[in-house]
Amino acid sequence: EVFYDEWVDDKKDGTKKETVKYWWKDPVAEVTKLLAMIFNGHPELAPKDIDYKHLCHGADHGKEKFRFTTKVIIQFKDGICIERLLPVGDILCKKDSVDVLRNTLIPKISAGVNKLEAKDLVFVKKDGNWNVSLDGDVTPADYTDYCRVKPNSYIAGDLAFLACLLGKESNLL
């Protein structure tokens, strides 16, 4: 599901106001949906065969647009590697700033990014289909297969984005 909103940047320096439009997706929903699609589309793959799983969250501004993505990298013990890039949000703005990030995308996605970093991914198979959720979201009592995977999360991007995501934007002011 894609969500849309806008925010009016009432510039403190006296320049013209800018209406900032943006969209976002829930990072948890996007990652878990992608993983379920991968494993349901490739029955030869099993979560128990994952060697490591990386989630690389990144963002940067360019061409009047601030982009946020999550790259999912799954390395299996047999050497197979699957990589997918998920667009998670965009802000249409001439220049990114702490104010723009703080009032648009960051409050919408930071909780999801933090959950993905803190919790295990839980894979449960029922009636031949894999479902994926975060630790605590599913009780695996009546499933035919079950696996937990702790992803390694990394954050990359410009300094304003990183500071806002980590709640340290006051260090930039």
Side-chain angles (χ1 to χ4, degrees):
E1 183 176 11
V2 180
F3 303 96
Y4 300 90
D5 204 352
E6 58 184 45
W7 170 71
V8 177
D9 187 359
D10 189 11
K11 310 266 186 194
K12 294 177 180 127
D13 62 3
T15 58
K16 186 178 174 185
K17 291 181 182 181
E18 178 185 6
T19 299
V20 177
K21 296 180 179 187
Y22 61 103
W23 66 263
W24 73 96
K25 299 177 186 178
D26 174 12
V28 173
E30 292 302 302
V31 168
T32 56
K33 180 174 63 174
L34 172 70
L35 292 171
M37 286 176 29
I38 289 171
F39 286 98
N40 288 324
H42 296 279
E44 73 279 8
L45 300 176
K48 66 178 176 48
D49 296 328
I50 294 174
D51 188 24
Y52 63 82
K53 176 160 180 350
H54 294 318
L55 299 175
C56 303
H57 311 283
D60 203 4
H61 185 271
K63 297 187 180 181
E64 298 191 1
K65 188 179 193 181
F66 188 88
R67 297 165 187 83
F68 179 83
T69 60
T70 295
K71 187 171 189 174
V72 177
I73 304 168
I74 307 166
Q75 178 70 47
F76 291 89
K77 294 172 186 169
D78 65 2
I80 293 173
C81 184
I82 296 175
E83 297 181 20
R84 298 289 186 274
L85 188 64
L86 297 170
V88 178
D90 278 1
I91 307 170
L92 297 174
C93 57
K94 292 182 175 122
K95 185 168 179 358
D96 64 331
S97 68
V98 171
D99 277 345
V100 170
L101 295 174
R102 185 186 310 147
N103 288 289
T104 58
L105 199 56
I106 295 300
K108 310 295 187 189
I109 63 169
S110 61
V113 170
N114 289 330
K115 283 181 187 176
L116 287 167
E117 191 279 326
K119 295 188 172 200
D120 288 352
L121 290 162
V122 178
F123 295 79
V124 291
K125 192 172 192 178
K126 183 176 183 178
D127 301 327
N129 288 315
W130 286 102
N131 293 302
V132 183
S133 65
L134 292 181
D135 185 24
D137 293 344
V138 173
T139 305
D142 60 343
Y143 292 92
T144 56
D145 202 351
Y146 170 81
C147 181
R148 299 171 70 92
V149 176
K150 176 67 178 159
N152 300 310
S153 286
Y154 303 95
I155 300 173
D158 78 1
L159 185 59
F161 162 72
L162 294 173
C164 284
L165 193 63
L166 297 172
K168 307 284 187 192
E169 65 268 11
S170 62
N171 295 346
L172 295 176
L173 302 175

